[in-house]
């Protein structure tokens, strides 16, 4: 009898093994946040052909599937690959070769960093840098070119402000750009000092110089793009929205992806140049497994920090200055009309309440009511009370960056006043309109790390966990909302919710393993979270060493 029972058991085990489906990998014994509709937590998943084949309990997955690669997660916290809903990936890549001016506490420190870089690369034809912010300096005044003219008289200096809405250049740069005291630019400004250009060019005026600067060669671009990708993977980003590219840049990313040089999934927003418009309206949407091109990035106004954001009432700290729109209202209207007709998505940068009012009113004209066009307002930073409801009435998606709130909180009230600032960075009010928020970082304007954005969203605090209680805490997000904003809701904002954004059968196996559970650890410990491993299509693309 015992022999018969043993024999039967052996046969059952063989039969069981032979009927289990073979997969590429099994991950089990994990603390897995699926971020599906129910926000279920699971223990295991199986991967085949780069996609999740099944998600469930460890016992069930291991009984149904077999693999030569079975990984015990040892209780680790696992999340869908993070999606940055608004970034400038190409600019970030290029900046890796420039002088890093982020965090400079004074103009003198900026000069010291420039001199050090110039000494290291004396043959460089230009001195390029990015990341300065006069709001972090004593006096908070815009810098000027005088010191640059003395130290660097024979090479062009071009230094982008942290928000990329202003640049500081020297006289060599002004000469190259053809800028004089009489230069006027629609949607931009040449700042003057004693009646002459100070060296600061704001918004559209920046193009006068940037259009004259030489392009780097393609090999250098590819090298920097790959370095930028590695940096993204190291912080758990597997997908991002690139906020404004030309066809040539999109073609480069596409070629790199097809050559397996780039595994980052990119939702590429198109710059609305005549060349780009003609091509994409003639050829329609472009979609691969790694690239999605079906939207246009429009600039409504400038930035609050450089006083280029367009306001209904003047700046509280600059009487008579209302900021400005980057184009005339009829230009935005014409773009909306044709973008709607050609079934593309319109994503417009709007910081000030006047810009938000103007663009959402134009959106309403063409969207007419409830719809699934998913047109977006990028930043949606300052709104009038009367304009929030348009997001809900016309299904307009707010695409916001939580670290902007914590970066701006020390001086935003100076620009806006104590009453108007209450309607700035109003994430809960925006979330109530549609039940979705797309979260991003706007890197390199802000830090690339999405955990910093998560912390800013839920705590409304900076890297020192200040202020106590958070900045305008009534608009903080809870942790589930913040995680959805950087995964499933961000995927929805890119028309890719069926492909990514949650750990579910049939979706790409993009996921990240963290060293602690960001849904449970104390808020003050969030920024210390480290990425242990990052996976794209089931392939490990980063591991902490």
């Amino acid at each position: 009898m015992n022999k018969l029972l043993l024999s039967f058991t052996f046969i059952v085990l063989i039969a069981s093994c032979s009927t289990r489906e073979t997969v590429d990998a099994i991950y089990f014994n994990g603390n897995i946040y699926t971020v599906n509709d129910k926000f279920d937590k699971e223990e295991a998943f199986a991967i085949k052909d780069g996609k999740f084949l099944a998600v469930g309990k460890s016992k069930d997955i291991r009984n149904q599937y077999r693999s030569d690669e079975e990984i015990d997660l040892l209780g680790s916290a696992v999340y869908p690959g993070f999606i940055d809903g608004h970034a400038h990936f190409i600019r970030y890549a290029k900046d890796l070769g420039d002088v890093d001016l982020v965090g400079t506490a004074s103009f003198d420190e900026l000069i010291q960093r420039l001199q050090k870089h110039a000494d290291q690369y004396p043959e460089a034809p230009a001195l390029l840098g990015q990341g300065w912010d006069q709001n972090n300096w004593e006096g908070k005044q815009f810098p000027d070119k005088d010191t640059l003219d003395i130290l660097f008289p024979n090479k062009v200096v071009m230094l982008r402000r942290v928000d990329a809405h202003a640049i500081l250049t020297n006289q060599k740069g002004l000469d190259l750009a053809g800028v004089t005291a009489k230069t006027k630019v629609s949607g931009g400004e040449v700042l003057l000092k004693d009646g002459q250009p100070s060296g600061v060019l704001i918004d559209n005026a920046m193009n006068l110089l940037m259009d004259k600067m030489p392009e780097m060669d393609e090999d250098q671009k590819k090298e920097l793009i790959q370095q930028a990708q590695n940096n993204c993977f190291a912080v758990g980003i597997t997908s991002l929205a690139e906020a404004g590219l030309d066809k040539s840049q999109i073609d480069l990313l596409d070629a790199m992806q097809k050559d397996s040089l780039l595994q980052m999934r990119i939702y590429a927003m198109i710059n609305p140049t005549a060349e780009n418009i003609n091509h994409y309206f003639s050829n329609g949407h472009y979609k691969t497994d790694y690239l999605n091109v079906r939207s246009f990035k429009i600039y409504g106004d400038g930035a609050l920090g450089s006083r280029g954001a367009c306001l209904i009432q003047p700046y509280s700290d600059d009487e008579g200055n209302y900021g400005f729109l980057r184009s005339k209202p009829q230009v935005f209207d014409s773009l909306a009309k044709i973008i709607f007709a050609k079934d593309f998505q319109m994503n417009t940068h709007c910081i000030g309440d006047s810009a938000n009012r103007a663009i959402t009113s134009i959106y309403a004209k063409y969207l007419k009511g409830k719809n699934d066009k998913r047109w977006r307002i990028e930043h949606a930073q300052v709104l009038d009370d009367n304009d929030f409801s348009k997001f809900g009435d016309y299904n307009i998606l707010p695409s916001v960056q939580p670290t902007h709130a914590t970066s701006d909180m020390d001086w935003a009230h100076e620009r806006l006043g104590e009453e108007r600032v209450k309607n700035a960075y109003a994430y809960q009010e925006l979330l109530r309109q549609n039940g979705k928020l797309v979260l991003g970082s706007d890197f390199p304007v802000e830090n690339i790390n999405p955990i910093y954005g998560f912390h800013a969203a839920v705590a409304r605090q900076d890297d020192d966990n200040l202020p106590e209680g958070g900045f305008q805490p009534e608009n903080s997000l809870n942790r589930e909302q913040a995680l959805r904003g950087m995964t499933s809701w961000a995927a929805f904002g890119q028309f890719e919710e069926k492909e990514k954004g949650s750990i579910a059968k049939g979706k790409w196996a993009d996921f990240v393993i963290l060293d602690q559970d960001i849904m449970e650890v104390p808020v003050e410990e969030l920024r210390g979270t480290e990425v242990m491993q990052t996976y794209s299509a089931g392939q490990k693309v980063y591991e902490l060493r």
Side-chain angles (χ1 to χ4, degrees):
M1 188 69 175
N2 288 339
K3 288 184 179 179
L4 266 174
L5 183 60
L6 284 171
S7 178
F8 178 75
T9 303
F10 184 66
I11 291 170
V12 169
L13 285 171
I14 293 175
S16 173
C17 289
S18 64
T19 58
R20 287 192 299 163
E21 181 179 349
T22 300
V23 295
D24 297 326
I26 292 172
Y27 291 77
F28 65 97
N29 192 25
N31 180 25
I32 299 169
Y33 288 87
T34 65
V35 198
N36 62 12
D37 290 343
K38 297 179 181 179
F39 208 72
D40 291 327
K41 287 176 68 175
E42 292 292 0
E43 298 174 348
F45 50 74
I47 296 172
K48 188 171 184 178
D49 298 328
K51 295 184 177 181
F52 295 114
L53 181 63
V55 184
K57 303 302 179 188
S58 296
K59 180 180 178 181
D60 295 339
I61 295 297
R62 299 185 80 190
N63 282 341
Q64 294 174 48
Y65 304 97
R66 64 168 304 277
S67 176
D68 292 335
E69 187 173 356
E70 293 198 16
I71 294 91
D72 187 345
L73 291 164
L74 301 174
S76 296
V78 183
Y79 309 83
F82 299 140
I83 303 171
D84 194 310
H86 179 111
H88 299 276
F89 180 66
I90 294 290
R91 188 202 307 165
Y92 172 79
K94 290 180 178 179
D95 286 351
L96 294 173
D98 296 345
V99 188
D100 182 7
L101 303 175
V102 174
T104 47
S106 66
F107 184 67
D108 287 343
E109 184 180 349
L110 177 148
I111 292 297
Q112 291 170 12
R113 294 193 193 184
L114 290 179
Q115 287 180 305
K116 181 178 179 180
H117 188 88
D119 291 342
Q120 283 182 300
Y121 306 99
E123 302 303 318
L127 186 53
L128 308 177
Q130 55 78 33
W132 60 272
D133 184 356
Q134 84 283 1
N135 291 308
N136 294 330
W137 305 343
E138 186 177 353
K140 301 183 180 181
Q141 301 300 314
F142 273 117
D144 60 51
K145 66 184 182 65
D146 293 353
T147 303
L148 302 180
D149 288 343
I150 294 170
L151 296 176
F152 314 107
N154 299 316
K155 64 171 63 179
V156 172
V157 179
M158 187 176 79
L159 313 175
R160 281 203 317 273
R161 192 180 182 278
V162 65
D163 57 14
H165 285 270
I167 59 175
L168 172 65
T169 187
N170 59 351
Q171 188 59 47
K172 188 84 170 175
L174 293 175
D175 291 343
L176 177 63
V179 172
T180 70
K182 297 181 179 180
T183 301
K184 302 294 180 185
V185 182
S186 177
E189 187 177 3
V190 176
L191 295 192
L192 301 181
K193 176 186 176 185
D194 299 328
Q196 294 299 316
S198 69
V200 175
L201 308 176
I202 296 178
D203 287 311
N204 289 353
M206 300 187 301
N207 298 334
L208 299 174
L209 177 57
M210 292 194 299
D211 289 348
K212 299 287 180 65
M213 299 298 288
E215 276 281 312
M216 67 175 64
D217 67 69
E218 191 159 298
D219 287 342
Q220 186 179 8
K221 285 181 187 176
K222 288 181 177 179
E223 181 180 342
L224 290 173
I225 287 171
Q226 286 184 291
Q227 186 178 339
Q229 173 183 245
N230 292 340
N231 293 353
C232 287
F233 287 153
V235 293
I237 298 172
T238 58
S239 180
L240 57 85
E242 167 55 271
L245 294 177
D246 292 325
K247 179 180 180 298
S248 60
Q249 295 171 310
I250 293 171
D251 289 345
L252 175 61
L253 294 175
D254 190 27
M256 291 182 66
Q257 288 168 337
K258 288 176 177 175
D259 289 340
S260 300
L261 298 175
L262 192 61
Q263 295 165 278
M264 180 67 57
R265 298 189 203 283
I266 295 176
Y267 188 75
M269 304 181 199
I270 311 159
N271 287 326
T273 65
E275 178 186 356
N276 293 338
I277 286 173
N278 289 336
H279 174 81
Y280 288 103
F281 283 167
S282 297
N283 293 276
H285 304 167
Y286 180 76
K287 180 76 167 67
T288 71
D289 289 343
Y290 286 91
L291 183 65
N292 194 354
V293 188
R294 58 173 300 159
S295 67
F296 280 85
K297 168 67 184 301
I298 314 298
Y299 278 97
D301 62 347
L304 199 63
S306 52
R307 297 188 183 88
C310 191
L311 302 179
I312 296 171
Q313 298 298 324
Y315 281 85
S316 296
D317 60 355
D318 191 2
E319 186 178 351
N321 182 5
Y322 292 77
F324 45 78
L325 293 175
R326 295 281 292 268
S327 299
K328 294 181 179 179
Q330 54 266 38
V331 173
F332 297 123
D333 190 282
S334 297
L335 283 168
K337 181 178 181 179
I338 191 169
I339 288 172
F340 183 87
K342 296 292 185 179
D343 193 30
F344 276 74
Q345 183 189 40
M346 186 167 177
N347 302 331
T348 308
H349 165 117
C350 294
I351 299 289
D353 51 11
S354 182
N356 275 290
R357 172 171 292 179
I359 299 301
T360 54
S361 295
I362 291 171
Y363 279 18
K365 177 180 177 180
Y366 294 99
L367 297 175
K368 300 188 185 303
K370 297 293 184 180
N371 64 88
D372 193 35
K373 294 293 185 181
R374 307 186 194 182
W375 284 18
R376 296 166 38 160
I377 296 293
E378 305 299 320
H379 311 307
Q381 201 160 297
V382 187
L383 283 106
D384 183 82
D385 278 329
N386 298 315
D387 294 318
F388 283 101
S389 61
K390 286 188 284 189
F391 285 82
D393 292 343
Y394 302 99
N395 295 120
I396 299 168
L397 282 176
S399 167
V400 302
Q401 299 72 44
T403 44
H404 281 348
T406 53
S407 291
D408 299 355
M409 63 186 177
D410 290 336
W411 50 263
H413 65 284
E414 297 173 4
R415 296 283 193 273
L416 300 170
E418 297 300 337
E419 285 304 311
R420 192 166 40 178
V421 77
K422 293 176 183 177
N423 279 352
Y425 321 97
Y427 302 150
Q428 276 297 341
E429 185 60 38
L430 286 166
L431 179 58
R432 277 191 281 271
Q433 300 304 317
N434 281 308
K436 289 183 176 66
L437 276 179
V438 175
L439 299 189
S441 68
D442 202 18
F443 75 74
V445 174
E446 301 285 358
N447 193 288
I448 192 174
N449 193 333
I451 300 298
Y452 293 0
F454 183 89
H455 171 257
V458 301
R460 304 278 283 201
Q461 294 175 322
D462 62 16
D463 53 357
D464 293 320
N465 291 302
L466 294 173
E468 187 174 345
F471 167 65
Q472 298 181 348
E474 66 275 11
N475 272 299
S476 64
L477 303 179
N478 65 40
R479 298 196 198 205
E480 179 180 333
Q481 292 166 345
L483 185 58
R484 287 189 183 279
M486 53 201 273
T487 55
S488 60
W489 291 346
F492 180 87
Q494 301 172 10
F495 295 89
E496 294 182 326
E497 70 274 15
K498 294 181 180 179
E499 303 171 35
K500 65 185 185 184
S502 62
I503 295 175
K505 181 179 179 179
K507 295 190 179 184
W508 290 111
D510 301 343
F511 61 98
V512 57
I513 303 172
L514 303 182
D515 69 337
Q516 60 181 1
D517 185 354
I518 59 173
M519 305 301 287
E520 297 291 343
V521 298
V523 164
E524 59 271 18
E525 296 178 18
L526 281 171
R527 282 178 174 251
T529 305
E530 289 193 296
V531 173
M532 304 303 292
Q533 295 175 348
T534 303
Y535 291 79
S536 176
Q539 300 299 309
K540 188 188 299 180
V541 292
Y542 170 78
E543 183 168 22
L544 182 66
R545 301 294 182 186

